[in-house]
Amino acid sequence: MNRITDNREKAPLVSICCLAYNHRDYIKDALEGFLKQKVTFPYEVLIYDDASTDGTAEIIKEYAGHYPDIIKPILQTENQYSKGITNPSGAFNFPRVKGTYVAMCEGDDYWTDENKLQMQVDYLQAHPRCTLCIHSARIVTVDGQGADRRMRPYRKDRRIAPEEIIDKSCGYPTASMVFPAKLIKELPSYYVECPVGDTPLQLMAAARGYGYYIDRDMSVYRVGGASSWTTQGKKGDYEARQQKYCRDMKNTYKAFDRATGGRFHEAAKSAARRIWFLTKVNTRHYKVVLSRRYEEYYRELTGRT
């Protein structure tokens, strides 16, 4: 398939949404992962750069010049995150979506399987009640180490009940998420106010359908980048940052519970409680961590943790 010709002639079926900030060393991997997809449909890449200072924008501009009908960038000259826009996907990428489906990938992660997008879209098209399709991923540190680790929430291909999407012991790789674009046509308040962008998207999917998991590593989740949310969160008063994160996430789950009329109350309550427990792990409050009251969550911790 000639992607550029097809993109000129047809509206995209999939909009790939990508956020970048100081990803100079990684952004080519992300862009190449998008461009090498073997698909039977046109797609677009909506990439947003939040005023990178390391040359990331120049790389994006170069690729956009080669693939103008696929890669559609917004290149900020002033950093918007520092001005309070903490969910740039909702502010800058989602309003531009033309596709029937949305695929997510951060600028420091990348896709490794050329059949990934076709496989996930095929499932979503065949199962219209499915509102989220995900897969496993390899975990790699910025220096290339840790390639034997995986982000693998389940152990086989399987359907995921809404309650499982909400209340889970292992996160989903952001770069694995594909969902119907109808989910993001109207963003609830809990999406805008949540400190992380992928969790509310998963909650929105759970509220309107079910999920499907493919037990196949088709992307890389890169950890340890200087501009990553996790790394930034460790700067300054770490304990205070963790407490704020916990409060914000609790408010997210409460708002979701209200928005869904309490249909998933127990799952939302447990998910918020798990976040609280994990902040105690992160801040080394071991008396709490080892308390028998929280044994359920303690048993979910990996051996590495």
Side-chain angles (χ1 to χ4, degrees):
M1 167 181 170
N2 186 316
R3 291 173 301 201
I4 295 177
T5 299
D6 280 12
N7 270 28
R8 287 173 179 166
E9 294 175 351
K10 299 178 183 178
L13 182 67
V14 178
S15 297
I16 300 168
C17 291
C18 180
L19 301 177
Y21 179 68
N22 285 353
H23 291 157
R24 177 192 60 196
D25 296 334
Y26 321 122
I27 195 65
K28 285 186 179 180
D29 289 337
L31 293 169
E32 289 293 336
F34 304 149
L35 293 168
K36 75 178 184 181
Q37 291 298 301
K38 290 185 176 180
V39 292
T40 59
F41 50 79
Y43 61 90
E44 62 180 354
V45 177
L46 306 177
I47 186 163
Y48 172 80
D49 179 80
D50 200 14
S52 291
T53 59
D54 66 347
T56 300
E58 285 68 28
I59 296 171
I60 295 170
K61 198 180 300 182
E62 179 185 351
Y63 272 81
H66 290 302
Y67 303 96
D69 297 291
I70 299 178
I71 299 175
K72 302 169 184 178
I74 290 179
L75 307 175
Q76 294 285 7
T77 54
E78 291 184 85
N79 183 268
Q80 300 301 302
Y81 187 90
S82 63
K83 294 183 176 182
I85 300 179
T86 57
N87 244 320
S89 290
F92 300 107
N93 275 344
F94 291 166
R96 301 191 287 151
V97 164
K98 294 180 180 178
T100 303
Y101 301 100
V102 174
M104 303 294 289
C105 186
E106 302 291 287
D108 54 349
D109 298 334
Y110 61 98
W111 297 348
T112 56
D113 192 314
E114 61 190 9
N115 298 305
K116 166 200 152 65
L117 205 52
Q118 185 74 54
M119 191 181 308
Q120 291 183 275
V121 169
D122 283 348
Y123 184 87
L124 288 167
Q125 287 185 312
H127 302 84
R129 290 189 59 239
C130 180
T131 49
L132 178 65
C133 186
I134 61 168
H135 56 74
S136 58
R138 287 192 301 117
I139 300 175
V140 177
T141 57
V142 290
D143 59 5
Q145 300 299 310
D148 60 326
R149 295 169 58 201
R150 301 174 68 190
M151 200 166 181
R152 189 186 181 200
Y154 309 107
R155 293 298 175 263
K156 61 180 180 179
D157 292 8
R158 53 164 291 196
R159 178 170 165 157
I160 317 167
E163 291 80 4
E164 293 180 280
I165 297 174
I166 298 162
D167 184 25
K168 53 188 177 294
S169 60
C170 177
Y172 298 158
T174 302
S176 78
M177 292 172 56
V178 182
F179 52 85
K182 64 184 180 182
L183 291 185
I184 48 92
K185 295 306 181 184
E186 290 186 24
L187 297 173
S189 60
Y190 64 80
Y191 173 86
V192 179
E193 296 165 4
C194 186
V196 289
D198 53 349
T199 297
L201 284 174
Q202 292 161 20
L203 296 179
M204 290 156 62
R208 298 182 65 175
Y210 68 90
Y212 188 75
Y213 169 72
I214 301 171
D215 193 29
R216 176 167 165 171
D217 295 345
M218 294 194 283
S219 66
V220 159
Y221 173 58
R222 205 186 310 254
V223 297
S227 62
S228 72
W229 184 87
T230 303
T231 302
Q232 290 294 317
K234 292 180 178 178
K235 293 182 177 180
D237 188 336
Y238 182 57
E239 177 120 14
R241 283 176 177 266
Q242 284 284 291
Q243 290 175 357
K244 182 180 185 307
Y245 170 69
C246 184
R247 288 193 303 271
D248 290 345
M249 291 303 296
K250 183 178 181 179
N251 289 336
T252 295
Y253 286 110
K254 281 186 173 181
F256 167 75
D257 191 29
R258 289 193 299 269
T260 53
R263 286 188 295 137
F264 308 104
H265 177 73
E266 291 304 321
K269 182 180 177 181
S270 177
R273 189 175 172 87
R274 180 183 288 102
I275 292 288
W276 175 84
F277 175 80
L278 291 175
T279 61
K280 296 302 179 183
V281 174
N282 293 341
T283 53
R284 304 184 181 186
H285 288 271
Y286 295 129
K287 284 187 178 180
V288 173
V289 172
L290 296 173
S291 170
R292 297 191 68 175
R293 291 178 61 190
Y294 310 111
E295 186 175 1
E296 173 189 357
Y297 302 128
Y298 179 82
R299 289 182 179 278
E300 294 174 351
L301 298 177
T302 65
R304 185 185 184 91
T305 302

